[in-house]
């Protein structure tokens, strides 16, 4: 049967197929269930009971078939049936209908004589006798019912499921879509994103703008012998806008946009992923000029030198390499791919001629964050926002983080009944995203609250008494849903790209200030310093193994970083003896920083008491209020 082309014809095709298969199913069910229909109205009996009822003249009809003797007893003769007939449902035998019993047929030569002599509750007083001779069905009918019909049913179910998952070609994505790429295709008019919607990535936009210009004016470049780059790899941490900027390229170029995730190529059966790649590039060639975007390409592009291989993934990668080499760059097919793990990609995938360019999308700087705030605030009703203040407070945030912060600020403004979003709303939403919502109903004992206050004032005091630390922005002892019982917020006055050894040591001392305050002011130590200890230890270890700031080891790499954009896990690359020496030096750095913090707090106990008293009373103070206290 010819496959329908238009959606209307395809729907009509499925409708007629549904009618046809419905008829086949009804025929099959009728054939299979016919022997059992009505069997619930027949009661089993034994041969002795049958003979006894026959002799009593209660049996009106006897039918012998299929190795059983079926006999009817009228309702007025069957006391049990008469009693139970009151509860019979409308779907069962009527009350005046005879009750049918059956008993296995036995070799009784006198059965016919007994039936002829027996009296019956009928008009002529004789038992109605009949015997059905089983008729053997045609072999052709049996073959159709038991083989052809089930096969047609399963074939139709498989075809209907396959067509449904593959409907529309691209975009099906079903597990039966053999050979279909599964990419989402957006026409040139469907992509509304523009470069103006992408902020904080000026360098990336400048690099990709050349690709857009090449798609618009290819002769401008080909006249000098330049060729269109086949691919560009977008690299950066999560949330920096890699997918967004790829859509912006398609929107600016006014060309079709193919979007697919790398994981969609990996299938259960070997060869299906390669077929998807072939289909993707075939359709892209038909719609050229166009842009293909492969998100999370590391799902299929991992290095092939690993000990544990995967045949399906490797075949898919090989096919991708072949297709990138095979298509003509002059047709205007550009491949954009995004990944958070560029170090794991196969070297053959990154060579010139495949992915010719690597576009780095780092976390935005101060000006980039302010630009991102402007983009997201366009859709939010707001008052004059201090972009410089909120930009400095969100150091290290990605574009996605800032979008979430603006949304949280809008939600907070609605909860408070405000008419517009203010700077205070955004600053509070920054804390909400970082530390969670305030737990205003948390019950904390006065002694614990006193310790928490001194702990946070200890951080602030050590930071304020050093020259290279960031200014104090806020101190609070309001618990948060993240588990923090309080925190001290420091915000740098400007953007910092480098940190000296002295600044790192001062930061470690600030981290140990909380525990030092507990020891000096409260004469105890608590579990509240666990996070401070973790950060101080990591920073001290990085000084030795990564930054080369150790007098003993000097500029020697002792730790190799991996997954730079996904948390930056690292592995030691040294002997066990050196690892022990590293541990000793890390311990020494933290001890010296802690001793420095204890000294600062001991020398400023009066200021600690004054600041802690105000914090206990107000629960939250600003950096200016704290500096006014210690200034006095």
């Amino acid at each position: 049967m010819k496959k329908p082309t238009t959606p209307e014809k395809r729907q009509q095709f499925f409708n007629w197929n549904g009618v046809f298969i419905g008829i086949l199913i009804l025929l099959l069910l009728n054939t299979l269930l016919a022997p059992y229909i009505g069997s619930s109205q027949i009661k089993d009996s034994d041969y002795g009971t049958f003979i006894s009822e026959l002799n009593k003249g209660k049996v009106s009809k006897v039918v012998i078939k299929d190795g059983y003797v079926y006999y009817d007893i009228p309702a007025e003769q069957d006391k049990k049936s008469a009693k139970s007939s009151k509860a019979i449902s409308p779907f069962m035998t009527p009350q005046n209908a005879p009750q049918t019993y059956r008993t296995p047929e036995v070799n009784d030569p006198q059965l016919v004589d007994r039936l002829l002599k027996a009296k019956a509750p009928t008009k002529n007083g004789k038992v109605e006798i009949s015997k059905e001779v089983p008729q053997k069905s045609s072999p052709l009918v049996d073959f159709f019912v038991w083989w052809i019909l089930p096969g047609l049913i399963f074939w139709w179910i498989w075809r209907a499921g396959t067509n449904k998952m593959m409907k529309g070609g691209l975009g099906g994505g079903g597990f039966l879509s053999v050979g279909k790429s599964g990419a989402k295709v957006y026409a040139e008019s469907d992509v509304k994103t523009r470069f103006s919607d992408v902020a904080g990535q000026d360098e990336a936009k400048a690099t990709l703008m050349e690709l857009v210009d090449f798609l618009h004016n290819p002769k401008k470049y080909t006249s000098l012998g330049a060729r269109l780059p086949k691919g560009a790899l977008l690299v950066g941490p999560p949330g920096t806008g890699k997918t967004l900027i790829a859509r912006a390229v398609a929107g600016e170029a006014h060309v079709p946009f193919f979007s697919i995730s790398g994981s969609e190529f990996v299938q259960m059966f070997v060869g299906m992923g390669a077929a998807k790649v072939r289909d993707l590039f075939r359709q892209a060639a038909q719609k050229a000029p166009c842009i293909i975007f492969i998100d999370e390409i590391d799902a299929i592009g991992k290095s092939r030198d690993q000990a544990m291989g995967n045949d399906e993934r490797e075949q898919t990668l090989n096919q991708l390499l072949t297709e990138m080499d095979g298509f003509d760059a002059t047709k205007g097919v550009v491949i954009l791919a995004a990944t958070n793990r560029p170090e794991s990609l196969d070297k053959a995938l990154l060579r010139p001629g495949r992915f010719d360019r690597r576009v780095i999308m780092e976390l935005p700087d101060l000006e980039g964050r302010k630009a991102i705030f402007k983009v997201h605030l366009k859709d939010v009703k707001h008052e004059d926002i201090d972009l410089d203040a909120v930009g400095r407070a969100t150091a290290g945030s990605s574009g996605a983080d800032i979008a979430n912060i603006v949304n949280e600020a809008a939600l907070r403004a609605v909860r408070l009944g405000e008419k517009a979003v203010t700077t205070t709303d955004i600053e509070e939403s920054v804390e909400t995203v970082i530390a969670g919502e305030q737990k205003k109903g948390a019950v904390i004992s006065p002694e614990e609250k006193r310790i928490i206050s001194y702990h946070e004032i200890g951080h602030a005091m050590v930071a304020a008494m050093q020259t290279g630390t960031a200014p104090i922005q806020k101190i609070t002892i309001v618990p948060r849903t993240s588990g923090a019982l309080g925190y001290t917020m420091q915000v740098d006055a400007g953007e910092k790209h480098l940190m000296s050894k002295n600044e790192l040591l001062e930061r470690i001392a600030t981290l140990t200030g909380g525990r030092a305050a507990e020891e000096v002011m409260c004469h105890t130590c608590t579990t509240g310093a666990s996070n401070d200890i973790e950060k101080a230890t990591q920073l001290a270890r990085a000084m030795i193994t990564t930054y080369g700031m150790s007098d003993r080891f000097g500029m020697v790499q002792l730790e190799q970083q991996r997954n730079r954009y996904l948390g930056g896990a690292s592995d030691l690359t040294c002997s066990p003896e050196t690892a022990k020496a590293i541990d000793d030096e890390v311990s020494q750095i933290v001890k010296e920083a802690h001793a420095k913090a204890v000294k600062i707090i001991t020398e400023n106990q009066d200021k600690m008491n004054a600041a802690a008293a105000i914090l206990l009373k107000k629960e939250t103070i600003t950096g200016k209020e704290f500096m006014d206290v210690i200034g006095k």
Side-chain angles (χ1 to χ4, degrees), residues 127-338:
V127 179
E128 298 180 17
I129 307 171
S130 63
K131 183 173 183 179
E132 294 185 7
V133 180
Q135 296 182 355
K136 190 175 181 181
S137 60
S138 170
L140 185 61
V141 174
D142 289 342
F143 179 76
F144 176 80
V145 171
W146 294 103
W147 295 96
I148 301 299
L149 190 58
L152 289 174
I153 292 174
F154 285 116
W155 171 83
W156 182 87
I157 293 174
W158 176 83
R159 176 161 183 169
T162 303
N163 287 333
K164 185 176 181 181
M165 292 184 181
M166 296 174 59
K167 185 168 65 176
L170 293 171
F175 72 97
L176 291 175
S177 55
V178 180
K180 296 297 181 179
S181 67
K184 295 179 181 179
V185 185
Y186 302 89
E188 54 185 271
S189 59
D190 295 337
V191 183
K192 307 297 183 182
T193 309
R194 299 293 184 267
F195 277 144
S196 59
D197 300 319
V198 183
Q201 299 292 344
D202 295 337
E203 295 78 9
K205 287 196 292 185
T207 302
L208 295 174
M209 181 59 77
E210 192 173 52
L211 296 179
V212 175
D213 190 39
F214 201 115
L215 292 173
H216 282 166
N217 306 302
K219 293 183 180 180
K220 174 182 174 182
Y221 297 88
T222 55
S223 61
L224 296 179
R227 59 178 179 81
L228 177 67
K230 286 188 176 181
L233 185 66
L234 307 176
V235 178
T240 49
K242 297 183 289 295
T243 303
L244 182 66
I245 203 170
R247 291 177 60 89
V249 171
E252 292 286 348
H254 304 291
V255 296
F257 182 65
F258 290 74
S259 177
I260 189 171
S261 174
S263 60
E264 295 184 41
F265 288 112
V266 181
Q267 300 293 319
M268 180 173 61
F269 302 106
V270 176
M272 291 179 63
K276 284 176 174 283
V277 173
R278 287 191 294 270
D279 182 74
L280 174 63
F281 279 86
R282 177 183 60 80
Q283 297 192 53
Q286 294 173 354
K287 295 183 179 292
C290 65
I291 292 175
I292 300 174
F293 176 63
I294 305 176
D295 198 7
E296 305 297 343
I297 194 174
D298 51 274
I300 59 170
K302 290 182 181 178
S303 178
R304 292 169 292 181
D305 60 359
Q306 298 176 359
M308 298 297 292
N310 183 295
D311 290 339
E312 166 62 5
R313 184 180 58 78
E314 290 188 5
Q315 284 196 19
T316 305
L317 175 58
N318 291 334
Q319 187 64 45
L320 178 62
L321 298 176
T322 303
E323 293 292 340
M324 293 186 70
D325 284 339
F327 74 87
D328 187 2
T330 60
K331 292 183 178 180
V333 178
V334 178
I335 304 172
L336 300 179

Side-chain angles (χ1 to χ4, degrees), residues 22-85:
I23 295 174
L24 292 180
I25 292 175
L26 289 176
L27 290 174
L28 179 61
L29 291 176
N30 182 64
T31 304
L32 296 178
L33 300 179
Y36 306 99
I37 296 176
S39 62
S40 60
Q41 302 173 11
I42 301 175
K43 297 183 178 181
D44 288 325
S45 179
D46 59 81
Y47 197 77
T49 303
F50 163 60
I51 296 299
S52 176
E53 299 289 348
L54 183 65
N55 293 335
K56 292 178 181 179
K58 294 183 178 181
V59 178
S60 62
K61 183 179 179 181
V62 174
V63 179
I64 302 174
K65 68 174 182 179
D66 299 333
Y68 285 92
V69 177
Y70 295 85
Y71 61 96
D72 290 349
I73 297 179
E76 60 271 12
Q77 300 293 329
D78 189 358
K79 296 181 180 179
K80 295 182 179 180
S81 298
K83 291 179 180 180
S84 62
S85 61

Side-chain angles (χ1 to χ4, degrees), residues 456-466 472 600-601 604 607-608 611 626 630:
E456 299 303 333
I457 293 296
H459 287 305
M461 183 64 69
V462 175
M465 294 301 171
Q466 298 180 113
I472 304 300
I600 292 175
I601 291 172
N604 296 274
K607 297 178 180 179
M608 288 285 297
F626 172 74
I630 66 172

Side-chain angles (χ1 to χ4, degrees), residues 296-503:
E296 305 297 343
I297 194 174
D298 51 274
I300 59 170
K302 290 182 181 178
S303 178
R304 292 169 292 181
D305 60 359
Q306 298 176 359
M308 298 297 292
N310 183 295
D311 290 339
E312 166 62 5
R313 184 180 58 78
E314 290 188 5
Q315 284 196 19
T316 305
L317 175 58
N318 291 334
Q319 187 64 45
L320 178 62
L321 298 176
T322 303
E323 293 292 340
M324 293 186 70
D325 284 339
F327 74 87
D328 187 2
T330 60
K331 292 183 178 180
V333 178
V334 178
I335 304 172
L336 300 179
T339 182
N340 303 318
R341 301 192 298 170
E343 67 280 352
S344 68
L345 296 179
D346 195 272
K347 301 301 180 185
L349 191 64
L350 300 177
R351 74 161 176 80
R354 286 173 179 150
F355 284 104
D356 302 281
R357 293 188 178 182
R358 177 177 293 196
V359 181
I360 307 298
M361 301 188 66
E362 294 283 1
L363 295 172
D365 57 11
L366 177 59
E367 293 301 320
R369 293 193 297 274
K370 291 164 65 175
I372 295 173
F373 269 110
K374 290 180 182 178
V375 169
H376 292 293
L377 285 171
K378 287 191 301 183
D379 301 325
V380 177
K381 189 176 181 181
H382 62 280
E383 298 178 355
D384 292 335
I385 304 295
D386 188 351
L387 293 177
D388 188 67
V390 298
R392 286 188 288 108
T394 52
S397 299
S398 65
D401 294 331
I402 294 175
N404 189 28
I405 289 170
V406 172
N407 185 61
E408 288 290 340
L411 294 175
R412 181 178 186 270
V414 172
R415 285 196 302 269
L416 298 179
E418 299 174 355
K419 295 182 178 180
V421 175
T422 63
T423 302
T424 304
D425 293 325
I426 295 182
E427 290 177 341
E428 178 60 30
S429 67
V430 171
E431 300 177 40
T432 300
V433 172
I434 294 174
E437 295 282 353
Q438 293 184 1
K439 294 176 63 176
K440 296 181 179 179
V443 179
I444 301 176
S445 66
E447 179 60 23
E448 285 186 339
K449 199 170 184 180
R450 173 176 171 272
I451 295 174
I452 295 170
S453 299
Y454 277 108
H455 181 103
E456 299 303 333
I457 293 296
H459 287 305
M461 183 64 69
V462 175
M465 294 301 171
Q466 298 180 113
T467 58
T469 55
I472 304 300
Q473 180 78 11
K474 183 179 182 179
I475 308 172
T476 180
I477 57 172
V478 178
R480 295 278 176 168
T481 55
S482 64
L485 298 176
Y487 61 89
T488 301
M489 179 182 290
Q490 295 177 257
V491 178
D492 284 303
E495 195 75 17
K496 293 185 70 68
H497 300 284
L498 296 173
M499 293 193 69
S500 65
K501 180 178 179 180
N502 186 62
E503 288 174 335

Side-chain angles (χ1 to χ4, degrees), residues 501 544 548-554 585:
K501 180 178 179 180
I544 300 169
M549 295 179 178
S550 168
D551 296 333
R552 178 174 179 179
F553 298 107
E585 193 156 349

